[in-house]
Amino acid sequence: MVIPENVQAVLKALEAAGHEAWCVGGCVRDALLDGGRLPGRTPDDWDVTTSARPEETLAVFGPQARPTGLKHGTVTVKTPGGPVEITTYRLDGEYHDHRRPDAVAFTASLEEDLARRDFTVNAMALSLRGELRDPFGGREDLRRRLLRCVGDPDRRFQEDALRILRGLRFAAALELEIEEQTAAALRRNRALLQFIAAERIQTEFLKLLPGPGAAEVLRAYLEVFGVFWPELLPMAGFDQRNRHHCYDVWEHTLHALAAVPGDPVLRCAMLLHDVGKPACFTLDEKGVGHFYGHPAVSRELADRMLRRLKCAADFRETVVRLVEWHDRDIPRTDKSIRRALRILGEADLRRLILVKRGDNFGQAPEYWDRQKELDKAEAILNRLLAEDACFSLKQLAVNGRDLLALGLSGPAVGAALEDLLDKVTDGALPNERGALLGYLQSTRTADGKE
């Protein structure tokens, strides 16, 4: 475990001033996890805990230090390798809001500081000389791929209910199994999530979704996610009664989610793409289930759910667009792909193809041959882009100035550009300046405007 040079310099400076100093928390966990060799698990942020009081830390580092949370003993030091957060050993007081302690008390004991932390894998400290302090068995839990609370799990979750989602996020991201008593307490205390700000829930949830174990965590703890997204609950056990589906709506969703890359947008779109199905279910005279209109209903529900978590507008709009389009057939022709490009743009059309692939892999295996059609769509898309196909106004061979020169003005300019783009997208006109201006000239002459 190699501590970065800038963090070593911080530890040395504190020790030289007569204080204890240790790296602590997630950086130690990630450095220990398979020797830090897991993709994406190399520690980014190295936090330091110290016996120095905040004012003493400020004195050690002078103008390079600034108080960023003195109430909780936190000082941030500017270093050549980036900011390093330093927090004094502390004991937490009572928690009355299920989020933060009412007060903290500083202590001289590293072990007392570690005892207040959430999970054993986050309650380890590493010294400058490589000594590991691990009073709660975090290293062994990592070896066993186990997530376990420090001390009484009910108390840990009741102190800070966000730990419920943090635990699920760690389980999904690090593929850890949640220890039995911790899992039971997590479920028992799930209603406390109602005390947590939507923005904090959003942050943890969107970090959870890309994890390699996300589908398994969603499967095992649906009732927890149902506290803030109850719309998910009717999906579980909902028989689709359709030969294309060998799973209920929830299991289909989880298989589809696991089949797309670990990107928050894609994973969220897969999680919500069929959320409207239970409300749209009908059974025909042959006993076959149908879900007419479910993409539109799913879109409305997804929009409402993402707004509830106060997701960023661009994230929300992209997800709901993918949900709305997930079941829409796009013929494998140049014209249809160009039209989809015009409406969605390249990035979202590529995302949509991935969403359609995931949706298909969540169906009965005998229908997976739909992947061949998606291969064709992707091949056409790649060819059109290689040929620099025109699908946006900025790619047109003419612009507004050209149309003003023809005598158009006001809203007519925009309308004419859109008409030209329609013609080019549909293959009715080549994207050539002369052809486009000639078409406009002829239409104006035909309309008697010249």
Side-chain angles (χ1 to χ4, degrees), residues 422-442:
D422 280 340
K423 296 293 189 296
V424 171
T425 300
D426 289 346
L429 283 174
N431 188 29
E432 298 171 359
R433 177 181 170 82
L436 299 179
L437 293 178
Y439 166 77
L440 282 178
Q441 192 72 35
S442 67

Side-chain angles (χ1 to χ4, degrees), residues 208-282:
L208 180 158
L209 283 180
E216 186 54 43
V217 168
L218 287 162
R219 177 179 290 112
Y221 296 93
L222 173 59
E223 70 270 39
V224 177
F225 300 104
V227 172
F228 57 88
W229 273 0
E231 294 88 346
L232 297 177
L233 299 176
M235 300 166 73
F238 199 103
D239 188 350
Q240 304 200 63
R241 307 281 292 274
N242 190 293
R243 61 189 173 87
H244 290 89
H245 289 282
C246 57
Y247 304 116
D248 65 37
V249 176
W250 183 236
E251 277 301 313
H252 159 73
T253 295
L254 296 180
H255 280 79
L257 181 146
V260 299
D263 172 78
V265 168
L266 290 173
R267 290 283 176 88
C268 197
M270 294 317 310
L271 180 63
L272 302 179
H273 79 286
D274 279 351
V275 69
K277 270 191 169 182
C280 297
F281 180 70
T282 59

Side-chain angles (χ1 to χ4, degrees), residues 289-397:
H290 300 281
F291 300 92
Y292 300 118
H294 82 271
V297 175
S298 295
R299 182 203 183 283
E300 291 306 311
L301 288 173
D303 186 71
R304 188 186 311 162
M305 294 161 75
L306 294 169
R307 287 179 186 274
R308 190 181 310 142
L309 290 193
K310 302 189 185 304
C311 293
D314 57 346
F315 179 90
R316 173 176 50 80
E317 290 166 2
T318 301
V319 170
V320 299
R321 186 181 304 120
L322 294 172
V323 169
E324 182 178 15
W325 278 67
H326 82 270
D327 202 39
R328 188 176 301 186
D329 182 51
I330 302 174
R332 273 62 68 193
T333 65
D334 285 19
K335 182 176 180 179
S336 293
I337 299 298
R338 280 196 301 262
R339 283 182 174 177
L341 266 172
R342 181 182 174 187
I343 298 170
L344 298 175
E346 179 187 356
D348 276 1
L349 182 51
R350 290 195 182 279
R351 288 188 180 110
L352 180 62
I353 291 172
L354 289 170
V355 164
K356 286 178 171 291
R357 289 191 187 279
D359 192 19
N360 183 229
F361 280 132
Q363 296 175 345
E366 54 265 35
Y367 296 100
W368 286 359
D369 56 356
R370 186 183 174 196
Q371 298 295 326
K372 297 176 183 177
E373 295 302 310
L374 293 169
D375 291 341
K376 292 178 184 177
E378 194 164 27
I380 294 171
L381 170 61
N382 290 335
R383 176 172 54 77
L384 289 174
L385 292 172
E387 294 170 354
D388 198 25
C390 176
F391 58 88
S392 67
L393 289 175
K394 67 180 181 180
Q395 293 175 296
L396 272 177

Side-chain angles (χ1 to χ4, degrees), residues 146-147 157 164-165 167-169 171-172 176-190 193 205 208 213-229 232-233 236 250-251 254:
L146 195 67
L147 189 72
F157 294 133
I164 294 169
L165 278 184
L168 296 177
R169 190 245 296 181
L176 304 178
E177 180 183 351
I178 302 179
E179 180 265 338
E180 185 178 351
Q181 292 184 17
T182 297
L186 190 150
R187 290 188 174 96
R188 274 196 302 273
N189 292 282
R190 65 185 184 276
L193 285 172
F205 188 62
L208 180 158
E216 186 54 43
V217 168
L218 287 162
R219 177 179 290 112
Y221 296 93
L222 173 59
E223 70 270 39
V224 177
F225 300 104
V227 172
F228 57 88
W229 273 0
L232 297 177
L233 299 176
W250 183 236
E251 277 301 313
L254 296 180

Side-chain angles (χ1 to χ4, degrees), residues 189-206:
N189 292 282
R190 65 185 184 276
L192 296 177
L193 285 172
Q194 65 186 305
F195 294 101
I196 303 301
E199 295 87 347
R200 299 310 302 269
I201 290 177
Q202 174 217 128
T203 298
E204 291 296 331
F205 188 62
L206 295 186

